[in-house]
Amino acid sequence: MTTASIPVQKSTTILKEPGPKQRIASIDILRGLVMVIMAVAHFRDFFHYHHPEPTDLAITTPFLFFTRWITHFCAPAFVFLSGMSAYLAGTRRTHSQFSAFLIKRGLWLIVVELVLINLAITLDPTYHAQILQVIWAIGGSMIILGLLVWARLSLPVIFTLGLIIVFGHDIFDPQNMPVNAVNNSFLGKLFLSGKGFGDFWLYAPNRAILFAYALLPWAGLMMIGYAFGSLYVKTYDAVKRRRILLYSGLGVLGVFFVLRFFNIYGDPNPCASQHTTTLSIISFFNVTKYPPSLLYTCMTIGTSLLILAFTENVKNKFTSILFLYGNVPFFYYLCHWYLVRFSTIAIFFISGFKTNQIINPHQGPILFQPDEFGFSLGGVYLIWFCVILILYFPCRWDSKYKQTHTQWGLSYL
């Protein structure tokens, strides 16, 4: 990743009024791919019998770990591509319009996370718990990016700041900080989070917020994606763009393999030789997502850059389906959560569970999750495949609607 080949966004390229949205096929294909894979993780969370931990080397299996590992690529690619799309959105707006758009859209996404997505996850209309996940991370990162744009920081400065955050935030991992240090404060939870699936902040009796996604490292990743978005302006040479994506992807993956092999830096969970070759390989790729370590980011973004490089001129039935999902990401994401949970309710009653089992103290605020609920991993994949097929038709409708309508609010969806 170098700033030399990334053009600086000049004021003369900013339109006085928002222009038509530019769709980049390779971006939508990658986004569609990671969104389809993402649904696997959410169906496994709610439907896998007994919820075994895929990254626990004492109990995991290759198939179980692979199911978790492929979903590691989703959130980083989603955030990175959001940064790229943000840059392209800026080419259709004035400077003041662009910074205001990023801040307002970021706030809107946080509201959606708190109200609509949390309701789908917990099915608790009283909102005893708020879980801040990837939409919160994207929204918060957009607000930060909007403030940087408002401050008129140049593209190379934003890119460099993103690199510093992504490469340096592992220094402040919670396990490296003293007890009661900044990482244990509210701001620490907000920007750094804790080891594992985030930290709870009890802000009132029986009311809590789970900071599942630490904001700072995700904001850094969006800044890097924002800089890469400049490769997709219409005047940029396509051959040069693919070459930059290819070499950047290989370079980032090279950083991952070198740092991981020697356990130098970049992940609080070092790899180690295990009693079988399979477990040793699993240990090598078992990197930390919460908060996202440098090696986790390199592994996922390096692969994403290669996919962008190789799919730019690929067009077939499969990529057309991915493109469809990828150009309606907000609609898809919201619909898939409600389909996940409506499926949970239906299968709960079909399986013979009673209303007194809706609340399970072992599951905290998550309703309709009794201890004996669920299927094998194969059953989870079957349900996932059926729901993905169902989503195709409403996503196709939404895509056609956006192509034929220009209401201002559609840019926020």
Side-chain angles (χ1 to χ4, degrees):
M1 298 180 186
T2 63
T3 59
S5 301
I6 298 179
V8 179
Q9 183 175 346
K10 299 181 183 300
S11 58
T12 55
T13 64
I14 303 296
L15 303 178
K16 292 184 178 181
E17 298 294 338
K21 187 173 183 178
Q22 177 187 3
R23 297 239 60 103
I24 308 297
S26 56
I27 292 177
D28 280 338
I29 289 170
L30 176 57
R31 185 185 287 118
L33 176 63
V34 299
M35 288 169 60
V36 168
I37 294 173
M38 167 198 66
V40 176
H42 298 155
F43 277 97
R44 185 186 63 80
D45 287 339
F46 287 99
F47 287 101
H48 196 191
Y49 187 63
H50 284 321
H51 307 288
E53 175 50 54
T55 59
D56 185 346
L57 299 185
I59 63 172
T60 194
T61 65
F63 187 32
L64 178 60
F65 178 79
F66 174 77
T67 299
R68 178 59 181 138
W69 182 76
I70 59 172
T71 63
H72 273 335
F73 292 82
C74 301
F78 213 9
V79 174
F80 184 79
L81 294 177
S82 295
M84 295 176 69
S85 298
Y87 182 92
L88 296 174
T91 63
R92 308 190 306 272
R93 292 170 171 85
T94 66
H95 179 271
S96 59
Q97 287 175 337
F98 181 42
S99 60
F101 169 77
L102 289 175
I103 293 172
K104 288 188 291 185
R105 193 166 195 272
L107 291 171
W108 161 242
L109 290 175
I110 293 174
V111 170
V112 169
E113 180 85 275
L114 293 174
V115 178
L116 298 179
I117 296 175
N118 270 279
L119 178 61
I121 294 173
T122 65
L123 296 177
D124 176 13
T126 60
Y127 295 98
H128 285 92
Q130 297 283 357
I131 306 174
L132 301 180
Q133 299 192 88
V134 67
I135 298 300
W136 133 262
I138 293 174
S141 299
M142 278 191 175
I143 293 173
I144 293 174
L145 182 59
L147 293 174
L148 297 179
V149 171
W150 174 80
R152 296 188 179 272
L153 295 186
S154 67
L155 191 66
V157 170
I158 294 176
F159 179 70
T160 302
L161 182 59
L163 287 178
I164 292 173
I165 293 172
V166 169
F167 276 82
H169 81 88
D170 283 272
I171 298 172
F172 301 101
D173 276 337
Q175 67 178 31
N176 297 330
M177 301 291 285
V179 177
N180 297 323
V182 65
N183 61 292
N184 292 322
S185 67
F186 170 75
L187 289 178
K189 295 179 187 298
L190 185 66
F191 289 101
L192 297 175
S193 188
K195 188 177 181 181
F197 190 58
D199 278 332
F200 271 106
W201 177 54
L202 297 173
Y203 64 92
N206 298 319
R207 303 281 173 179
I209 297 177
L210 174 61
F211 293 91
Y213 279 62
L215 183 56
L216 187 61
W218 295 106
L221 182 55
M222 181 174 285
M223 295 174 202
I224 296 174
Y226 176 76
F228 270 87
S230 63
L231 302 178
Y232 285 87
V233 295
K234 292 182 179 180
T235 57
Y236 203 86
D237 181 75
V239 174
K240 185 178 180 181
R241 174 175 60 246
R242 290 193 295 270
R243 185 166 60 246
I244 292 173
L245 293 172
L246 174 63
Y247 292 153
S248 296
L250 293 174
V252 172
L253 286 177
V255 170
F256 164 74
F257 281 104
V258 171
L259 293 182
R260 190 61 170 168
F261 182 81
F262 292 104
N263 282 327
I264 299 172
Y265 169 77
D267 198 282
N269 181 33
C271 64
S273 178
Q274 306 295 316
H275 63 276
T276 68
T277 301
T278 299
L279 286 177
S280 295
I281 294 173
I282 290 175
S283 176
F284 186 87
F285 290 100
N286 188 22
V287 288
T288 304
K289 180 180 180 180
Y290 302 107
S293 68
L294 169 63
L295 296 189
Y296 168 88
T297 304
C298 287
M299 179 186 74
T300 54
I301 294 303
T303 304
S304 297
L305 289 170
L306 294 183
I307 294 174
L308 286 172
F310 290 124
T311 59
E312 190 155 311
N313 295 316
V314 175
K315 187 174 182 180
N316 52 48
K317 183 61 177 178
F318 179 64
T319 57
S320 297
I321 293 173
L322 295 180
F323 176 82
L324 173 66
Y325 289 133
N327 68 32
V328 289
F330 182 86
F331 181 82
Y332 172 98
Y333 189 82
L334 199 59
C335 287
H336 106 280
W337 265 122
Y338 278 91
L339 275 175
V340 168
R341 296 305 270 138
F342 288 156
S343 301
T344 304
I345 296 172
I347 294 174
F348 175 92
F349 287 110
I350 292 172
S351 301
F353 291 102
K354 308 300 181 183
T355 54
N356 61 0
Q357 296 174 283
I358 292 176
I359 299 176
N360 183 353
H362 300 153
Q363 293 294 332
I366 310 296
L367 305 184
F368 293 93
Q369 289 284 282
D371 289 335
E372 301 303 312
F373 181 83
F375 303 93
S376 67
L377 200 54
V380 171
Y381 272 94
L382 178 60
I383 298 171
W384 162 78
F385 181 75
C386 292
V387 170
I388 292 300
L389 287 180
I390 293 171
L391 280 171
Y392 176 82
F393 299 100
C395 286
R396 184 175 63 179
W397 170 85
D398 186 56
S399 177
K400 290 181 178 179
Y401 185 87
K402 288 183 176 179
Q403 292 173 13
T404 56
H405 294 74
T406 58
Q407 293 94 326
W408 69 270
L410 291 177
S411 62
Y412 290 88
L413 301 178

